[in-house]
Amino acid sequence: MTHPFEIELETTLPASPEQVWEAIATGPGIDSWFMGRNEVEPREGGVAAIATAGHREEAVVTAYEPGKRFATRTSPGEDGRFMAFEYLIEGRGRGSTVLRVVHSGLLGDDWQDEYDALRRGWPFHLHTLHEYLAHFPDRAGVPVFAMALPRGRAPREVGAAVLHGLSLPVPAAVGARAHAEPAGLAPLDGDVVWADDERVGIRTADGLYTFHHGSGVVLMFHHLFGPDADGAEAAWQQWLNGLLA
């Protein structure tokens, strides 16, 4: 049985409508704050795709009004499930823009857990978008992904291990200073800009780093803006594997 859902959020961003449009309606822009590697065919009826961990999902662009409105919708699955996203942009004074996001669709039998995960995740993603536009405007980030399944370890223990690897206390707090040394990369030194029971977000001089440690899996979604991101994905995967060994 499917269940309809809708999540609606609004945020004020420190950027022009044109900058917000580039961030939410282009592949390089979405790569700079959201998950995975993204592609957008810039027209109504075009394809919008996201690829994460070898899985690619496509949607149809259902609205394409530059600087105003962008929307996509996935094709229904065999059980009728689908996801739809709508972004509405409104410019405000002093170089700021209000962005309204509507995420809707149909969820499956585990709809309550999935809905709760989506509801908790969106405020974090919009916060990351704010950090991107505030600190790395008009720059395209390189997305970095890593994942590990720490079998046989309690979620609280896994979360503590991640925070320990980042030289952070348990629980972490916004404003704390993080440090990590993935092999082959410059050390990560940055400030915690988001901390909750599931994830911690860190901003450095050249990147936005996300460490998600809820639900028995550890995921990393990083966005790198420095001159050299070669080898970063492999290095962070190695760091994560060693941390949870």
Side-chain angles (χ1 to χ4, degrees):
M1 179 180 294
T2 55
H3 296 263
F5 80 97
E6 182 173 288
I7 299 169
E8 183 174 334
L9 303 97
E10 184 175 288
T11 186
T12 301
L13 299 168
S16 68
E18 293 76 17
Q19 288 173 311
V20 174
W21 176 261
E22 287 295 315
I24 59 96
T26 71
I30 302 169
D31 283 353
S32 301
W33 64 276
F34 199 57
M35 300 179 294
R37 297 177 183 272
N38 297 268
E39 303 170 14
V40 176
E41 191 176 358
R43 63 178 179 85
E44 187 172 331
V47 174
I50 180 171
T52 305
H55 174 72
R56 177 183 170 91
E57 184 170 8
E58 294 187 350
V60 175
V61 177
T62 56
Y64 191 87
E65 303 173 36
K68 296 181 180 179
R69 179 172 178 250
F70 178 67
T72 65
R73 181 185 173 113
T74 63
S75 298
E78 293 182 358
D79 61 357
R81 295 180 57 177
F82 73 91
M83 294 281 188
F85 301 85
E86 182 181 35
Y87 299 87
L88 298 168
I89 297 171
E90 181 183 346
R92 295 288 173 87
R94 299 183 180 180
S96 66
T97 298
V98 172
L99 176 67
R100 186 162 66 92
V101 180
V102 181
H103 183 184
S104 61
L106 291 177
L107 299 176
D109 290 339
D110 297 329
W111 69 274
Q112 188 67 58
D113 289 342
E114 191 170 356
Y115 172 76
D116 287 343
L118 294 172
R119 180 179 54 81
R120 294 193 305 269
W122 265 112
F124 171 77
H125 291 310
L126 292 183
H127 180 270
T128 305
L129 174 59
H130 187 284
E131 290 289 309
Y132 164 54
L133 291 170
H135 298 279
F136 305 100
D138 303 317
R139 296 166 68 180
V142 175
V144 168
F145 173 79
M147 177 179 69
L149 297 170
R151 302 184 187 280
R153 302 177 69 173
R156 181 173 296 184
E157 180 186 357
V158 172
V162 171
L163 295 180
H164 178 74
L166 295 168
S167 304
L168 292 171
V170 180
V174 171
R177 191 71 176 169
H179 176 83
E181 298 183 5
L185 300 179
L188 177 152
D189 285 295
D191 297 318
V192 174
V193 294
W194 181 282
D196 61 25
D197 293 339
E198 295 181 288
R199 61 185 66 80
V200 59
I202 297 167
R203 187 185 71 241
T204 71
D206 61 1
L208 298 170
Y209 296 78
T210 298
F211 300 83
H212 186 287
H213 51 80
S215 304
V217 61
V218 180
L219 304 172
M220 296 194 295
F221 293 100
H222 303 335
H223 311 280
L224 308 185
F225 302 93
D228 185 12
D230 292 343
E233 196 157 87
W236 278 108
Q237 185 67 63
Q238 181 181 353
W239 178 89
L240 183 57
N241 292 343
L243 189 70
L244 299 176

